[in-house]
Amino acid sequence: MIFRQLFDSTSGTYTYLIASRHGGEALIIDPVLDRVDRYIQLVRELDLRLVKAVDTHLHADHITGLGALRDRTHCVTVMGERSNVDVVSMRLAEGDKLTIEGVALDVLYTPGHTDDSYSFLMQDRVFTGDTLLIRGTGRTDFQNGNPYAQYESIFNKLLRLPDETMVFPAHDYKGETVSTIGEEKLFNPRLQVKSVDEYVELMNNLKLPNPKLMDVAVPANMHIGLAQEEIARRGWSLSACEAMALKGCADVVFVDLRERAEREKHGVIPGSLHAPYCDLATHIGSGGMLHELALTTGKRIVFYCAFGERSAMAVQAAQDAGIASAMHVAGGIDAWKRSDGPLVR
Ligand SMILES: [Fe+2]
């Protein structure tokens, strides 16, 4: 297991880089925009391939590195389904798994600090975002924060994990790096309360100033979707309705880039092929399934994914690989569903 805890001293943010092996896939949790060069350098130094960049919630104190990492490494951006962000490649909910090669994290919905706060559990450790901090808890006074919800998330979810579970938060301002659930139960001053009402009273009287960057960070973090104008301008983009009109055409093949769990949860365009985005390079390269399909049979490839981001990146990559007919469904399955497109499970 490769595990790195990285620190942004300006915002006091911890960022985590995880992979199962050298030479394998990696994911990064809560990257900071100003540190993206360092992350990319470290990924290269450790001989990793960054495939997912994840935020635990929409941050108010720093600008996320998700968009920049996606643009520079073509990784998949991931946030929770409740996050008020324009576009991410993949959205997760309680009970889902966040996976890369050799690693699977359980997704826990832990609202309270914000209404889009998620924690990620990886065997002996949990990434708690700003829900549970070391000897503290995330403030609940903005971004639809709610101390009642936070009490529930902490006492009825996180503190029910085994005592020895390591706690890795998104922030620390005092130089602490890691704690455990058992330690926090005993020594976290915010958790030494007798009732939810006592906790709410405590949280409602913190009187903290707003984060310095809040007015900049929140709007920036709400608009991180991939710029797709160029893809559309080149005629490589189909609306869901235009794509529906092509369904059944003998020379058109729909290609689903999502992961198996997303397909099972949200359904599949009938008759489509499955080629997960993480394997795209193999499929569109010389001798690959999609390369052969397009070039030897003359089929037109129409990529789709969850929200249109992976498919937009796939179109560009396929065009670069010589598959001139490649297009994608703008807005992905989300747009397809809203246009009442047929789905099978
Ligand atoms: Fe936060």
Side-chain angles (χ1 to χ4, degrees):
M1 172 65 62
I2 295 165
F3 178 76
R4 292 287 187 279
Q5 183 180 34
L6 302 150
F7 188 56
D8 173 55
S9 53
T10 310
S11 59
T13 304
Y14 284 127
T15 299
Y16 301 95
L17 180 70
I18 302 165
S20 65
R21 65 178 178 92
H22 290 283
E25 294 182 351
L27 76 83
I28 195 163
I29 298 176
D30 287 332
V32 176
L33 179 62
D34 290 345
R35 304 272 160 183
V36 160
D37 284 345
R38 173 63 186 134
Y39 309 142
I40 289 175
Q41 181 190 2
L42 183 60
V43 163
R44 201 181 307 124
E45 287 166 351
L46 298 178
D47 187 25
L48 299 172
R49 186 162 69 93
L50 185 68
V51 296
K52 284 182 182 163
V54 188
D55 267 353
T56 50
H57 63 289
L58 198 134
H59 295 284
D61 59 344
H62 67 268
I63 298 178
T64 176
L66 254 61
L69 284 168
R70 176 207 54 226
D71 290 344
R72 292 179 56 183
T73 71
H74 300 139
C75 71
V76 167
T77 55
V78 185
M79 287 186 80
E81 64 176 3
R82 302 290 294 269
S83 290
N84 186 18
V85 55
D86 58 347
V87 180
V88 282
S89 304
M90 184 183 287
R91 287 182 183 266
L92 297 171
E94 166 88 19
D96 287 346
K97 284 198 187 296
L98 168 62
T99 59
I100 58 168
E101 173 203 2
V103 177
L105 283 70
D106 292 309
V107 179
L108 308 174
Y109 179 45
T110 50
H113 168 59
T114 63
D115 61 353
D116 76 326
S117 288
Y118 293 77
S119 298
F120 301 103
L121 175 64
M122 186 175 81
Q123 296 153 354
D124 63 349
R125 62 198 66 194
V126 61
F127 304 96
T128 54
D130 290 355
T131 302
L132 177 59
L133 305 174
I134 299 172
R135 308 300 191 263
T137 58
R139 62 193 298 172
T140 55
D141 56 340
F142 56 65
Q143 289 183 285
N144 299 319
N146 180 328
Y148 290 95
Q150 192 173 53
Y151 181 92
E152 278 297 307
S153 296
I154 293 174
F155 281 85
N156 292 328
K157 216 170 263 184
L158 295 174
L159 297 190
R160 292 194 175 176
L161 297 171
D163 278 354
E164 60 275 19
T165 309
M166 287 183 279
V167 173
F168 285 102
H171 290 291
D172 192 85
Y173 309 101
K174 301 182 299 290
E176 305 280 350
T177 54
V178 60
S179 181
T180 66
I181 291 292
E183 252 179 73
E184 291 310 307
K185 268 184 198 166
L186 286 174
F187 305 120
N188 188 322
R190 298 253 176 100
L191 307 185
Q192 311 309 311
V193 290
K194 302 258 180 320
S195 66
V196 60
D197 291 333
E198 198 184 325
Y199 184 74
V200 170
E201 174 77 14
L202 177 69
M203 294 307 288
N204 283 344
N205 287 290
L206 294 178
K207 300 191 174 65
L208 298 168
N210 279 345
K212 285 193 282 292
L213 270 180
M214 184 166 165
D215 294 341
V216 178
V218 170
N221 290 341
M222 288 169 76
H223 294 101
I224 62 169
L226 179 77
Q228 298 194 20
E229 297 77 14
E230 188 58 21
I231 299 278
R233 200 186 61 74
R234 294 183 176 208
W236 299 341
S237 191
L238 295 164
S239 70
C241 290
E242 288 167 341
M244 239 175 282
L246 289 181
K247 242 185 68 44
C249 290
D251 67 334
V252 172
V253 180
F254 282 79
V255 176
D256 187 357
L257 296 162
R258 295 170 303 160
E259 296 178 3
R260 189 170 53 84
E262 295 177 278
R263 288 160 56 84
E264 287 169 0
K265 189 167 176 179
H266 298 286
V268 175
I269 296 178
S272 52
L273 293 180
H274 184 210
Y277 178 76
C278 60
D279 300 330
L280 183 71
T282 311
H283 291 314
I284 61 175
S286 180
M289 169 182 75
L290 298 178
H291 195 269
E292 292 306 301
L293 192 66
L295 299 189
T296 59
T297 69
K299 298 268 193 198
R300 287 189 282 163
I301 307 280
V302 178
F303 290 111
Y304 71 95
C305 60
F307 303 102
E309 216 172 58
R310 277 169 283 183
S311 57
M313 292 191 285
V315 166
Q316 185 65 60
Q319 292 281 347
D320 292 345
I323 305 176
S325 68
M327 300 176 87
H328 86 126
V329 181
I333 279 289
D334 184 51
W336 180 269
K337 265 187 199 167
R338 281 190 272 107
S339 301
D340 293 323
L343 291 167
V344 288
R345 281 173 203 267

